[in-house]
Amino acid sequence: MAAQFGRRLCKGAATTAVAAVAVAALSASQAPGVNDHGRQSAADATPSPDASASDGSATGNSPYYTDLPPLNSPSPSPSTGTGPVTPGTSEAGIPATVLDAYKKAEAALRDAKPGCNLPWQLLAAIGRVESGQARGGRVNAQGTTISPILGPQLDGNGFALIKDTDNGAYDGNSTYDQAVGPMQFIPSTWAWAGRDANGDGKKDPNNIYDAALAAGHYLCRFDWDLSDQQDLDRAILSYNNSREYLNLVMRWLEYYRKGTHEIPDGTGTLPGNRSDNGAGASPGPSAPSTPGTPGAGGSKPKPSPPAKPGGGGTTKPKPPTTPPATPPESPTTPPSPPATPTDTVHHLEDAGTAKLTAMAGDTFTKRISTRAETKAGKAVGKVRIRFTIVGDTDTTFTGGESVATVATNSSGVAVAPALQAGEKTGDVTVRATVVGRMVAGLDYTATVTERAADALARTGDAALTCAPGGEFANQVEVKATYKGAVADGVAATATLIKSADDPTANDKGPFFKNADGKAVRTLAGLKTDAKGLLKLPKLYADDTTGTFLLRITTEGGATLTVELTVAAAETSSPSPSASPSA
């Protein structure tokens, strides 16, 4: 269950074939069609052509539980209490703390990423397949598993080869990585995807609240809409890149959608079958069984039959009378696993990344491209490149994450997701590194500039006139644009200047008022609104008459000069007196 491209490596092709046949058999027996939500059933959930082109998998494509949901649809209990469960519906029951974690994760994602439409039943389906709902809900009151849940070590022996990335901090293994916790994240993925959902100041992969929220963010990280079947396929395949896994998760998703109920912690049903036949199960606390429930290893071994009385057994061979001519050879060291593409990477090179510049709030039009090469300069495909935004910045990748992992293509090139500029301006560093290989990283600089406008125009054409000592009847309003588009959030300054050739502030004529009611002739720190509009405060006039200039400038060089007139009201001349008659 690790983050990596490529086909999942399971121990024994027969196991995968059996799992696929089982899913197919269930599909036929249930005769699936379109469900109540208008989505395809699992048997028809064929991933789109680019569904496997994800940035890896959360679990390292480790083994998972292959138990299928029952054929009978579950009937939800009238309440979420822990009363008696109707026979035949135990598979639908989810331990109370685990169910609460899934629902809270859904609520958090509804606020953080509403366009993702993450259903808690998807987290329940993945939690069932990955760990049997945290081993039947064996968690404490805070949601942390009673003992750590570990997948097999990913040493290339029937599984993917992922060498240690966390110095054993999460999985206790400083040689190889192992998937950790009820949602089975590998350490290198948890390092950036982990969340602190229960507010205890720790991101613990063995805490169901932290793990469920992390899984939700992971599934929503590319702005996927999980109410769309193709995006849902992509998200599930990004968790574990296997068609059988996709079909199985979809089965459990549809099963839980039809109804479920809460059961006491620690009373859930443990799965009994794994995609690797249990061959890679870690000993000790990582794969315990609840009393009376078979664990991941299957049924108990049968004792050997006793030898028949009265002979009938095989005659024991006599020991040799002379020692063998040559001493037996010492056991040979098992061969090392073959080198992976990652092992051959010597360095990273820039793959033609253009200058990265964007205004605050905008999406960068250019993307970072990195090429993995051998010492001889040959391209290395199928290698995971991690792009990390470092430093104090609010710039992110599209989707709001600061880390993205992308596999190199056949040309050895990995292209990072588009960058989304935040409001903090300046240079941003994006570092590219090879996952699972200690080679020098490659830094890229992206520059975030101030929001800018290249044109300003008044929104009205009414004359701006005022009598001495009065106030102007109309306020000045302008609209800012950049390359024809609305320029929102652009900084602006308004100054009543001395003349067209002298942009210094005037010391007489029209003026604004500050908060204390005093006259000011320069206003700084102005900003256009979401529609690119800027409406200036009221203008007033002193006793000086004449024509005056108001100049508005913005970040980016846009300038507009507005004419103001202060003049006394015209008085009508008296009509001439009639001439006296002669």
Side-chain angles (χ1 to χ4, degrees):
M1 311 175 222
Q4 115 175 11
F5 269 150
R7 299 180 59 85
R8 179 173 51 83
L9 299 176
C10 286
K11 180 168 277 188
T15 303
T16 302
V18 169
V21 169
V23 172
L26 180 64
S27 303
S29 64
Q30 289 183 320
V34 177
N35 60 37
D36 296 339
H37 301 268
R39 299 179 177 87
Q40 293 172 288
S41 297
D44 301 320
T46 303
S48 55
D50 60 342
S52 63
S54 67
D55 70 336
S57 73
T59 65
N61 300 331
S62 296
Y64 51 87
Y65 290 112
T66 58
D67 293 46
L68 299 168
L71 294 176
N72 296 327
S73 299
S75 300
S77 299
S79 68
T80 56
T82 56
V85 178
T86 305
T89 63
S90 61
E91 292 290 349
I94 299 178
T97 300
V98 178
L99 180 60
D100 183 56
Y102 295 151
K103 291 185 175 181
K104 284 184 175 175
E106 178 196 58
L109 267 297
R110 191 184 305 124
D111 292 337
K113 297 183 179 181
C116 180
N117 294 306
L118 171 80
W120 65 261
Q121 292 91 340
L122 176 58
L123 298 176
I126 291 175
R128 169 72 195 194
V129 170
E130 294 296 345
S131 67
Q133 310 298 19
R135 294 198 301 253
R138 297 183 70 247
V139 297
N140 63 21
Q142 290 72 43
T144 302
T145 57
I146 302 302
S147 55
I149 300 177
L150 294 175
Q153 70 175 15
L154 299 172
D155 56 5
N157 184 22
F159 310 110
L161 174 61
I162 303 180
K163 295 181 180 178
D164 175 62
T165 60
D166 66 328
N167 199 27
Y170 295 116
D171 55 12
N173 189 334
S174 58
T175 304
Y176 299 100
D177 271 351
Q178 293 176 248
V180 184
M183 303 305 279
Q184 288 288 278
F185 281 93
I186 57 168
S188 60
T189 302
W190 182 261
W192 62 265
R195 295 292 192 279
D196 175 20
N198 61 358
D200 63 357
K202 297 185 296 183
K203 299 176 182 179
D204 183 359
N206 277 296
N207 181 277
I208 186 60
Y209 288 100
D210 293 359
L213 184 60
H217 276 280
Y218 185 91
L219 294 164
C220 293
R221 69 196 186 285
F222 287 135
D223 285 341
W224 283 324
D225 177 1
L226 302 187
S227 65
D228 176 82
Q229 186 63 52
Q230 287 190 332
D231 279 358
L232 180 60
D233 291 348
R234 293 184 182 100
I236 296 172
L237 285 169
S238 79
Y239 212 87
N240 191 312
N241 192 20
S242 158
R243 179 71 62 87
E244 291 82 10
Y245 182 89
L246 167 66
N247 289 341
L248 185 61
V249 169
M250 280 299 301
R251 281 295 177 198
W252 281 106
L253 171 59
E254 296 304 326
Y255 183 76
Y256 285 133
R257 273 181 173 148
K258 293 174 183 175
T260 187
H261 54 273
E262 177 184 298
I263 60 175
D265 288 344
T267 64
T269 303
L270 282 180
N273 301 290
R274 296 198 333 157
S275 59
D276 65 340
N277 282 334
S282 299
S286 60
S289 302
T290 9
T293 307
S299 57
K300 295 180 180 179
K302 297 180 180 178
S304 303
K308 293 182 180 179
T314 0
T315 306
K316 292 183 179 179
K318 294 180 180 180
T321 55
T322 56
T326 55
E329 295 182 0
S330 301
T332 57
T333 304
S336 301
T340 66
T342 301
D343 294 329
T344 67
V345 177
H346 178 265
H347 60 272
L348 295 175
E349 290 285 347
D350 176 45
T353 303
K355 185 177 181 181
L356 299 166
T357 304
M359 286 195 300
D362 287 354
T363 301
F364 284 75
T365 56
K366 306 298 182 182
R367 296 165 68 179
I368 296 171
S369 297
T370 300
R371 176 180 159 99
E373 296 183 354
T374 65
K375 188 174 183 179
K378 291 185 177 180
V380 184
K382 297 183 180 180
V383 172
R384 291 174 298 141
I385 305 298
R386 179 176 295 129
F387 297 96
T388 306
I389 300 173
V390 298
D392 182 17
T393 178
D394 55 354
T395 292
T396 64
F397 291 111
T398 304
E401 302 293 349
S402 59
V403 178
T405 305
V406 182
T408 58
N409 59 21
S410 58
S411 299
V413 175
V415 180
L419 287 165
Q420 176 69 41
E423 295 302 321
K424 292 183 179 179
T425 59
D427 289 342
V428 177
T429 300
V430 181
R431 182 164 299 148
T433 55
V434 181
V435 177
R437 178 93 170 143
M438 295 296 291
V439 298
L442 190 61
D443 285 355
Y444 295 84
T445 300
T447 303
V448 180
T449 61
E450 295 280 359
R451 294 173 182 257
D454 57 11
L456 284 172
R458 280 190 66 193
T459 58
D461 55 4
L464 299 167
T465 60
C466 179
E471 68 178 52
F472 287 80
N474 298 308
Q475 290 177 248
V476 178
E477 184 181 65
V478 297
K479 182 174 183 178
T481 56
Y482 184 79
K483 295 183 179 179
V486 167
D488 62 312
V490 177
T493 301
T495 305
L496 291 149
I497 60 177
K498 289 183 177 180
S499 69
D501 298 325
D502 186 354
T504 57
N506 209 334
D507 54 2
K508 57 185 177 181
F511 59 89
F512 301 105
K513 288 183 180 180
N514 62 15
D516 298 327
K518 295 181 179 180
V520 293
R521 291 185 169 86
T522 298
L523 294 178
L526 305 173
K527 277 194 174 182
T528 60
D529 65 14
K531 297 180 180 179
L533 299 176
L534 174 62
K535 192 170 187 177
L536 299 181
K538 283 186 176 182
L539 278 162
Y540 303 86
D542 60 14
D543 294 335
T544 309
T545 59
T547 299
F548 302 89
L549 299 178
L550 168 65
R551 180 162 292 172
I552 305 168
T553 59
T554 67
E555 185 72 31
T559 301
L560 178 67
T561 302
V562 180
E563 191 173 277
L564 309 172
T565 302
V566 179
E570 292 184 3
T571 56
S572 55
S573 302
S575 55
S577 303
S579 300
S581 56

